[in-house]
Amino acid sequence: MPQATTYVHRFEPAPATTAGGTLLLLHGTGGNENDLLPVGRAIAPDAALLSPRGRVLENGMPRFFRRLAEGVFDHEDLVARTHELADFVAESAKRYGFDARRVIAAGFSNGANIAASMMLLRPETLAGAILLRPMVPFEPATPAVLDGIPALLLAGREDPIAGQTPARLAELLREAGSDVELVWQETGHGLVQADVDIASRWLRARFADSEFLR
Ligand code: MLT
């Protein structure tokens, strides 16, 4: 396999006594690899954390793929970047020695959108996904096969960026066979403490028996 494109990233191993899974942390527009580390630790205290920085710059702000305008995505770039990121996750599993079958994405905004795209295009990369303020990355021409892969969608009723799109995303992930939980909160686009609380409860409930959290 050719060397995957490298990302500036942080990797925090799981605490030594555990053999849990890995959270793939994907920041929002203008963020970086440090942003979600505290959120990741709070959601999954025993997991390893892999946190890359998006390689696209929009007026100096890192993102995971190009957009043509707010909410209008460059589909070709999104597809290429999704594969690039999935390859990076696979390479990182070899490099750091974590289990590639136990990776759960936790993405916010632009990071949630590329995580959703990865579910649709490279489902083997993820054992599950926590999508914070997601939108529909694209409408797939043929349904993906998600075979019960669980996804938690945390949407804000007052979110001016995502609007009602999380409902459509939930629908299309369900059509693909994902086990989707969509939670609407009385909040906007930004993250709130309830996101962490709900995500950590969901993770515990969904992965209690799968050794993700030990
Ligand atoms: C995106 O571009 O992915 C969405 O508009 C969310 C954002 O990053 O603002």
Side-chain angles (χ1 to χ4, degrees), residues 28-29 63 65 67 70-71 73 109-111 113 135 161 189:
T29 300
R63 287 176 51 83
F65 57 89
R67 66 179 162 184
E70 173 90 43
F73 303 144
S109 189
N110 181 244
N113 295 341
M135 298 168 70
I161 295 171
H189 195 67

Side-chain angles (χ1 to χ4, degrees), residues 21 28 32 40 69 77 91 103 132 140 161 178 181 185 187 198-199 213:
N32 66 35
D77 188 67
E91 285 281 321
V103 176
L132 302 148
I161 295 171
S178 172
E181 192 169 326
Q185 301 181 83
T187 188
I198 297 168
L213 303 155

Side-chain angles (χ1 to χ4, degrees), residues 139-150:
E139 292 279 344
T142 49
V145 181
L146 288 172
D147 250 345
I149 295 176

Side-chain angles (χ1 to χ4, degrees), residues 16-33:
T17 52
T18 66
T22 299
L23 271 194
L24 171 66
L25 300 172
L26 302 167
H27 62 77
T29 300
N32 66 35
E33 66 281 11

